[in-house]
Amino acid sequence: MEFSDNYTSQVRRTLLHLLAWGLVITIGALVSGRISIIPGLLTGWAGSLLYFLLMCRRVKKSAELPPGQAVASMRTGWLLRYGFMISMLVLSVHVPGIDFMAAVVGLFSLHIVLFLNAVCIVVSGLITNLGKSKIN
């Protein structure tokens, strides 16, 4: 039960951060006057969001399987998720009005959010341990 509770809270937190990131990049594009890149940013962001949801589904499913089957399931999921990302990029190339580079930036939304979360964890750990001596 502990894995499930922590897993669910981490997924919710990451989803909220992804939603906030999508709002920030959209407002940033509006404020800077780059309205033409918004469809590309949102296409990539939506792809990143769906990629995360697919990955979460695969992790939850694999946690219930025996180790050998879990590894096979993760490998299959990896191929499907990357195929999905490639199809999002192909879509952005072929659909007029969707900026390819903006879609690429949007696809990295999950990675940006996870990096920022990691930075926050490290900084909060440093602040917590500030002034504590290893030599006692």
Side-chain angles (χ1 to χ4, degrees), residues 36-47:
S36 63
I37 67 169
I38 291 176
L41 285 172
L42 291 178
T43 300
W45 173 80

Side-chain angles (χ1 to χ4, degrees), residues 84-95:
F84 171 74
M85 288 180 73
I86 290 169
S87 67
M88 291 298 288
L89 291 175
V90 168
L91 173 79
S92 68
V93 167
H94 291 293
V95 174

Side-chain angles (χ1 to χ4, degrees), residues 95-110:
V95 174
I98 296 179
D99 184 47
F100 176 74
M101 290 309 291
V104 170
V105 169
L107 273 175
F108 280 101
S109 294
L110 176 63

Side-chain angles (χ1 to χ4, degrees), residues 37-84:
I37 67 169
I38 291 176
L41 285 172
L42 291 178
T43 300
W45 173 80
S48 186
L49 184 69
L50 289 173
Y51 176 85
F52 178 67
L53 293 173
L54 288 170
M55 185 172 54
C56 290
R57 181 174 169 254
R58 185 66 60 175
V59 167
K60 188 166 178 116
K61 193 186 249 189
S62 295
E64 300 166 352
L65 296 173
Q69 289 178 338
V71 169
S73 175
M74 291 302 284
R75 286 185 181 146
T76 302
W78 177 82
L79 289 171
L80 292 173
R81 286 190 312 275
Y82 279 109
F84 171 74

